[in-house]
Amino acid sequence: MESTVPNPDWNASEHSETINAFEAGLGELTYRVWGADWCGDCRSRLPDFFAALKAAGVEDERIHVYEVDDDKNGELTEEYDVTLIPTVVVERADEEIARFEEKEDVPAADYLARKLLASDALA
């Protein structure tokens, strides 16, 4: 999906807390992302999220992308109760510890970083 290409204009220095949260989970956290290039929210929100993951050095094998059709059906959508896109689920040892859905009014990376920092997932 084109919307998973990191935004080259995203400024990591302006998001140091977000980068620190993602770095703290390196090697332990898995990111599952549902979206589609036909979705305006995905095209506007996911490139910054992927830029944050890249800036934090999150390994590609820790990121799983699932493209959905225009009915929002796709791989693992039922298992993860995905009804909105984009949806990002962060897992640690196969346990969901944070979730971002399109309805949030905060950028995905910042939202998830706050959730991670507020949880004991990074302790």
Side-chain angles (χ1 to χ4, degrees):
M1 283 189 315
E2 278 186 41
S3 54
T4 63
V5 174
N7 177 0
D9 297 326
W10 191 80
N11 188 339
S13 64
E14 294 176 4
H15 300 274
S16 59
E17 186 175 5
T18 297
I19 300 303
N20 291 341
F22 290 158
E23 286 176 338
L26 287 177
E28 295 182 28
L29 301 180
T30 299
Y31 301 85
R32 298 187 181 276
V33 183
W34 287 266
D37 287 337
W38 57 260
C39 169
D41 287 327
C42 296
R43 286 193 318 272
S44 67
R45 300 180 107 181
L46 289 179
D48 287 350
F49 173 70
F50 279 91
L53 293 179
K54 181 179 178 181
V58 175
E59 302 93 354
D60 289 343
E61 60 267 9
R62 294 266 175 203
I63 305 166
H64 305 278
V65 177
Y66 308 101
E67 191 165 1
V68 300
D69 63 21
D70 55 356
D71 291 321
K72 298 179 184 167
N73 294 317
E75 187 178 358
L76 300 177
T77 54
E78 288 185 32
E79 294 86 341
Y80 281 86
D81 193 28
V82 174
T83 58
L84 303 169
I85 59 169
T87 291
V88 179
V89 172
V90 183
E91 295 176 323
R92 181 177 186 195
D94 295 325
E95 179 183 339
E96 182 175 324
I97 56 172
R99 177 182 287 245
F100 170 86
E101 295 178 321
E102 98 181 79
K103 65 185 179 221
E104 303 302 337
D105 61 357
V106 178
D110 296 338
Y111 180 87
L112 290 168
R114 287 184 204 147
K115 290 289 188 185
L116 293 172
L117 292 169
S119 74
D120 61 358
L122 301 178

